[in-house]
Amino acid sequence: MSKTYEYVPEPALVKGNHDFSSINSLITDINLRPTPKGWYIAFGLSNLLLFVLLGSIAYLIWEGTGIWGLNQPVGWGWAIINFVWWVGIGHAGTLISAILFLFRQDWRTAINRFAEAMTIFAVMCAGIFPAIHVGRIWVIYWVFPIPNSMVMWPNFNSPLLWDVFAVSTYFTVSLLFWYVGLVPDFATLRDRIKSKVGKMVYGVAALGWRGSNRHWWNYEKAYMILAGLATPLVLSVHTIVSFDFAVSIIPGWHTTIFPPYFVAGAVFSGFAMVLTLMIICRKIYGLEDIMTVDHIEKMNLIILVTGSMVGFAYLMEFFIAWYSQVEYEKAIFIIRATGPYAWAYWIMISCNVISPQFFWSKKLRRNVTFTFIISIVVNIGMWFERFVITVTSLSTDYLPSSWGYFSPTIWDVLTYVGTFGLFFTFFLLFLRFMPMVAVAEIKGAMPQADPHNYDPETGDYSPQEIEIPEPNKESV
Amino acid sequence: MSDQKTNDTTYWKSLNELAKNKEYQKYAEREFPEDASELTDQVSRRSFLRVMGASIALAGFASCRKPMQKILPYSRQPEEQVLGVPNFYATSMPFQDTVAGLLIENSEGRPSKVEGNEQHPSTRGKTSIYHQAAILGMYDPDRSRNPQLAGEQVSYSDFAEFAASHFAETDRNILFISDASSSPTRHRLKTDIQSRFPNSQWVTHEPFSDDNRVEGTNLAFGQRLRTVNHFDEANIVVSFDDDFMTPSGHKNSVEAAWQFSMARNVNAVEDTMSRLYSIENSYSITGSMADHRLRLKSSEIEAMIFALAARLSQDLNGLDAYTDYSNSMSGHEMVETLAGELIANRSNTILTAGTGYSPAVHATISALNSALGNIGTTVTLHNLPFRDNVDNTTAFAEAVSQAQAGAFDTVVILGTNPVFTAAADLQFADAISNVETKIHLSEYVDETSRACDWHVNQAHFMEAWGDGYAYTGQRSIIQPQIAPLFEGVSDIELLHTILTGESGSGYDLVQNTWRNVLSGNFEREWERVLHDGIDDNSDGFSNASVSIQSGFASQIIPMLETSITDRIEITIKPDPTLFDGRYANNGWLQELPDPMTKITWDNVALMSPSTARSLGLPAERDFASDEVPMVRIDTGDGAIEIAAWVQPGHADDSITLYAGYGRNTIGRVADGVGVNIYPLRTTGAPYYRTADISAVDRMYEIACTQDHNSIEGRDMVRAATLDEYRENPNFSTYESVHGYEVPGIDAAERESDDYLAKGGPISLFDEQYGPDYQPQWGMAIDLNTCFGCGVCTIACQAENNIPVVGKREVSRRRIMHWIRTDRYYEGDEDNPGVYHQPVPCMHCELAPCEQVCPVAATVHSEDGMNQMTYNRCIGTRYCANNCPFKVRRFNFFNYSDEYLTTGDDPEIIQMAMNPEVTIRFRGVMEKCSYCVQRVNRAKIETRKATGSRKPEDGTVKTACQQACPANAISFGDLTDRNSVVSQHKMNERNYVMLEEINVRPRTSYLAKLRNPNPELS
Amino acid sequence: MAQIFPKWTNEAPRRILIGAIIILNAIVFGVWYFFSPEFTNVGYAPEQPVPYSHQLHVGQLGMDCQYCHTQVEESQYANIPATQTCMNCHNQIATNSEKLAPVRESWDTNEPIEWVRVHMLPDYAYFNHSAHVNVGVGCESCHGRVDRMEVVYQAEPLSMGWCLDCHREPEKHVRPVDEVTTMGYQVENQLEVGRELVAKHNIKAPTYCQACHY
C-alpha cells in the first residue's frame, strides 16, 4: 500500500523572508527613489517613436489612405492587422485580474498590476487604428448614434459598429478596475513620500483612503463586482473583433470558429507580452522574490495551452474547408499555405503552434531566458496570424479576375512602429510613478496574512514549520 | 457545355497557373517589392495628376462647405434652352475618309456626352471608343491655341495676310499633303485649288489606311473601289488577320460589329449563328469571337490566301490565275476545311484580309469573293466620288522624294502628321526641309508642326462646320456644337484662305457645296439634314458592276511569290486605343485597358510563350511585381527597345507591335508614354518584316489591370457550342449548392409576378424588393455577342465623371473604372479560347456591402438598386472588402480634385463633365450606379407625363448599354414582363455569378455560344 | 501626521460632480442649438446687386411667382429670370430709377446680372423643382412668405431632416396644384385635404438615398 499525505502545501508565493514592511519598501521605493538615468534614456527613445506615430498619422490625414499599400482588392491592410494585434495583447490584463481573481489564484497578485497597465495602453494603441484607417476621419463621429439634422442613425448591422462599443466598454471597465486596485497603494505612497506635492498628488489619487475597516469592506465589494463585470468582457471583446471577419462572406473570413479562436489567440499573445515585460522589469527592479520562476512557469503553462488551442483552430479551419466542400473555401486555405503568402503562413505556424510546444519540458518552461525569447516569438507569430487572415483572404477571393498582391509602404511600417512609442511612453510613466505590483494584494497572499501563523498566546509571528515530504519512490 | 463540363473546362487568366511555374510559388520570398515606397511614389503621382486635369471631373465634392455662389441668368433668354434639361444635336465624326453619325448631348449650351445617331446606319445609336472619347479630345487643354510662325504666336489674320500675298503667285509649286477625307466640300475646294494652282500636287497620307484593299480591287477589277462586307448576310466569314470589329482595324467597325452580332444573336434553340474562321498572327478581339482560329505568321497568312485561291481554282471559275500555283501552305488542313465550307455556302460567305496586306493579297481576296459569287450579296463594291484614281501610298512616296529633290517651294499639310507617321526610309522631315514654305494645320503642335514654319491650329470636329460620306455612302453634315475654344480653323476654312487670302466661314463653304446637292427648298432641306444628321435622300454609294479584268492573271502571278522564312517576324498594327497616335493625348483612351492584354499606358512586343522561351524570356509573369523584361528589335533600318509581353495564342516566331506611342511634347498625357515603333516601318515593308530580336537586361514597369491568376475552374463564364445548347438549353444554369434556381430561370418562378422574390434559402434579411408602384431595375449581359471592345468602360467614364488615375496608380490596382471587362483564357496556351465578361456592380438584392457599412452609406433603394451615397461614406472600405465581385472603387487620393488647384485653366476641363453626377471626394467609395441620374430623370418625366413611376421599356438606357455596338447589354424594369431585360432573364442561357452565396445579383449573364464546324470537332 | 488637505476639500467631490453635470448639459444643448442648420442657415439674406423687392412685386403688385420663374414646372431649376423679363415692364416703368441701373446696364451690354444665391443645397443633393410643384408642394413651403420679403432670405433650414419631415408625411403640407404659388395658403382641415391630394396625385414621396443623392 502506498503512503498518503493529507496536506501538500504550495511553495510560497513570495520568496526570501520578507515581511510587510520589507515588501512595502521593495516595491514603493522604486517610485520614491530619484529617477534613474536609464529611465530617461528609455523614455526619450519611446518619445521619439511616439513622434514618428504622430507624424505618420498627420501625413496620412493630409494626403489620404493612398499612402498605404492598400489597393483593390485588399482594402484592409496593416491598420486592421495592428488593431487586432494590440487588442489581443490587451487581453491578458483583465483575464489575470478578473478571471484568476474569481478563481482565487493568488499568484496573480504578483503580476496583475502591470498586466492591467499593459492592457490599458495596448487598447489605446489598438483604438488608434480603426479611427485613422477611414478615408474621411473628420466625419468619423457618424459611427456614434448621435441625433442629428440628417436624421440618420448608424447601421447597427455592421460589425465595425459593434467594435466601437465593445472596445470602448472594455477600455472603460479595465481602467476602473485598475484604478480601484490602485487606491490602497496610492495611500501607501502618499504616506511614505516626503515631498509636499507628492503627498498632494497621491493624496488626491488615494481618494482619502485611511485603511479603515469600512474602506476595506467597500473596496473588496467594488473589486469583486468589477471582476464580475470584466470577466464576460474578456471573452466578448475579441469575439466581437472576430465578427469583423466572421460576419463577412469572404472565403477565409466567413468562419464560425473565429470567436473562440480569436479569444484563445488573444490570451496567448497577451500572456506572451506580459512575460516579455515582466522578465525585463523583475531583472531591472530586482523583483525576483515577487515575480518568481514559479510565476513564469504557471504563465508558460497557459501559453502552452492557448497555443495548442490556436494550433487546433488552424487545423479545424482546414478540416471545415474540406468538409464544407465549398470550392472557394478550399481554394483560399490551399493558397494560404502554398500561394503568394505562404511565407507569412509558415511564419505564423512555426511561431504560434510549434514554438510553445517546447514548454512541455519543465526545464525549458522554468528557464527565464528561453521563456523571454519564446514570448517575443509568439507575438511575432500572432501578428502574422492577423496578416494571413486579413490580407490573403482579400487578395485571392471569388473572382480571379480581381486577384491582387498587397505590398506595404514605408508609411504602413512607420505607423505600426510608432504605436510602440505610444505604448512604452505610457508604460514607462506607469513604472515610474505607480507601484508596479499590487502591494496591498500581495501582502494578503503572504504567510504573515494568515492568522494561523501567529502564536495564540504571545501573538508573535511564528509560521508552522512545514517540511515538504519527498514522494515515496517505490510507491510511484 | 453541360454542368459538369462547365466545371471541367479550365479557364485561366495568366500563364502562371497553367504552367505551374516557379515564379508563382516563389514570390514567397518577396515581402516588399522594390517599388513599395510611397515616398518616391508621391512625386510621380502628384506631378502626373497635376497635368491629368483633362481626364478628371468636377462639379463639387461629395462633402465640403460651399462658398458664396453667384447665379448668372441669361440677359436675353435663348429659345429652346431650358435650364437643366439637356438638348441633343446631330452631327457626325470624321475618321479618315468616312464619317459616323452622332448625337451630342448639350448641357447649358456645351457638349457633354457623345451618343450614336439612331437614324444613321454607320452607328445605329451605338458608338466606338473613339466616338466616346472625342468629348475629352475637344476639351483637351493641350490642344494648340493659336497659329504659330516659326514657333512664335501669331494670329490667324496674320496667316491670312501671308496667304494672300504668298498664294497670289498661282504658278507656285505647291505640295498638298492631307489626311484622308470624304468631305464633298473639301473635294470641291481641292478641285478649285488644283485649277487655281496648276503646278500644285495633292497627295493623301494615312499611316494606316485601307488603300491596299482599294488597290486590290483595282488589280482584280480595274477599278478603285470600296469593299463593303455585309456580315449580317453571311453564313461563313473568313477573316485573314482582319480585325474588323475593332475601330483601329476597320473604319466602319461599329456597323460591322453590329451586323456580325446580329448574325450570331441566339434567343432560342431554333436560331442560327454564322461561323467565323479567323487566321491571324496576334490575338485580336475579332479572333476572340472566332469559332475556329488558326495562328500563323503574317507571311504564312499571305501564303495561305494564295494557296486557298489555288485550291478553289479547281472547283470554281474565275481563278484561272491560280490554277498551277502552289506554296508551302498548299494542302494545309485549314485550306481544305475552308475550301469545303466556302464551296458548300457559295455566295453566302465573306472573305476579308487585314488592311496591312499587299494589293496582291486583296486582289486575291476580291477574286475569291467574286468567284464564290459573294459580290453583290454579302460583299458589295462601290465607287468613291471623292477619291482620286491613284495609289495614295506610292503617290505620297513619290511626292516626298520630289520634295527631297526640291521640286516644291511650298508644302501645305492638312491634319496628318507625316513627320511622326511616315515610313522611316522616306525621311520625311529631311525631305520637307528642302521646301521653302511649310504650312501645317493640326490640333496639336506636333512633330510635323515643329518641322514647319507655319502652324495653324485646327478646330475640333465639334467646333467647326464640315461634311462627309459614311463608309457606305450616306451624306452627312458635321454640325459644330460649340464655338471653337481656341479659335481653331477647319481644313476647309484654311483651304478657303489659301484660295482667297481671306478667312472664310465654314458654314458658307459647306452650304455652297450642299446647294448643288440638296433638291427642293434648300433652307428646309438643310434644316432637315442638320436635324436628322443624315441626308436620307442619299442611300449610300451605288454598286459598281465588276468583273475580273482581262490580264489579271498576267498581273497577279508575278506577285504571288511568298516570303516565308524561319526568322522572327515583326508585324506592325495601329494601337487598339490610340490608333496611329492621333488619340495619344486622351487620358480615357490611354487608361482604357487593351481589350486582350489589359495593359494600360504602354505598348509592348506581343509574342507567343514559346517565342518568349526561345528568346530566353520567362513565359510567365511574376505575380507580385509589375516589372517585365525588355527586348531589342532591330530591323536594320531602325531599332527599338520595348517591353516583352507574352500573349497566349500569338503565332510563334512572330512579334506584334502597336504604333501610336512614344510621342513627345505633344501634350501632358501623351509625352513619354510607350515606345515609338514607326522607325521600324518602311515603304517596302509597311506591315510585316523579319527582324533581329534579342533580350535586353532591363526590366520595365507595365500597368496591367488584370494579370492575376487562373480562374481555377470556377464558372464565372459559362459557354457551350450551338449543338450542345440545342440538346441542353439549360446548360448554363443548374441547381446551386443551396438547391435553388437562379431568379428568372425556373419556369414556375417565371410565371409568378414576384419571381425575383421567390425561391432561395431562408434569409435573415427582409425579402421585400420594394413597393409595387416602383420599377425594379435589372441588367442582363449577353456574353454571346459581347466582344470585349471596352466602349462600355469609356461611355461609363464619360457619363459618370470617373477620374483617370495614371499609370502608377493603375499598377497599384487602383483603377477607377465602374465597369471592367474580364478576359479569360480557356484551353492550351498555344491557341486558347478567349472569353470577355463585362463586370459592373451586380446590384445584389441581398448585398453584402450594405450590411457591413457602419454608417449606412450604401443601402438598397425602393427600385431595387444598391445605392452608394458618397456624402455619407466615411471610407472604411469594408463594403469593398465584402463585395464578392470586387466592383467597388475607392478614392485613395483626391483624384478628382487634384487638378482644381493645378493645370492652367481647369474651367475648360470642367465643361466636359456631367452636371448630373456628383464628383467624388478623397476617401469615399464609388461604384456603378446603373446610371441612376438617367433613371431618376426618366422616372420624374414619366411621372409628370403619366403619373406612373415606371418608365416605358427603352426610355432609360445606361451609358454602357447605349454605347454597346453588339447590343450585349440590356437594362430595364423587371416588373415589366415584356421588357427586353425581362425577356433576357427568362432566356434559358441566363445565369448569375456565384448564385450559391445567395447575394441575388440583379445583373445576370447570358451564356456564351460557339458555332464550331462539326467536321473539325 | 499633518493634514495634507485643507478642510474645504471635503466639499470638493460634491462640487466637482455638480459642476460636471451642469457643464455637460450646457455642451449638449449648445451643440444641439447652435450647430443646427436652423441656427446657422435660416435668415441668410445676402445683399443683391439689384435691390429687387419681392414684397413690392409679389406682395403689393400681386405678380405670380411663375411670371419670372418661368421654367419651374418643366425644369429641375426654378430659373432666375433673364434681364429681358425685368425689361418687359421696366422699359416703361421707372425707366431711369437709380436702383435699376444694373438691370439696364445688363440689357445694354448683354452681360448677366450677378445675383447671389440664397438657397444653397450641397452639390450632392439633387432637388428637382418640377417634380415638386407639379404635385402640389407650394413655393411657400420651402421659400417662406416671399411676398413679405423686402430682401429674400432663407426661411427654412433646408436640412435633410427637414426634407424628410415632408417626405414622410406629405399630407401635412401638400396643396392643390393650382394653389402652388399662393402665398399664405391655409385650410383648417389640411389633414383631410392633404390625404385626398396624396391619394389623387398618387404621392409616394421617396425616402431612399438615391432619390436625392447620386
Side-chain angles (χ1 to χ4, degrees), chain B residues 727-742:
Chain B
E727 293 155 21
N728 173 15
N730 276 325
F731 72 93
S732 71
T733 64
Y734 44 87
E735 290 279 311
S736 74
V737 293
H738 288 282
Y740 88 101
E741 292 248 315
V742 185

Side-chain angles (χ1 to χ4, degrees), chain B residues 66 71 83 867 918 936 949, chain C residues 75 115 121 204 210 214:
Chain B
K66 302 194 303 173
I71 304 177
L83 209 59
Q867 329 174 87
T918 309
N936 281 3
R949 282 175 183 74
Chain C
S75 164
W115 301 94
L121 287 185
K204 306 273 194 327
Q210 266 184 359
Y214 46 85

Side-chain angles (χ1 to χ4, degrees), chain B residues 306 309-310 313 319-326 360 363-365 367 552 556 560:
Chain B
F306 298 149
S313 62
L319 294 172
D320 322 338
Y322 302 88
T323 37
D324 349 325
Y325 175 81
S326 82
T364 311
I365 293 286
F552 171 61
I556 195 77
L560 293 183

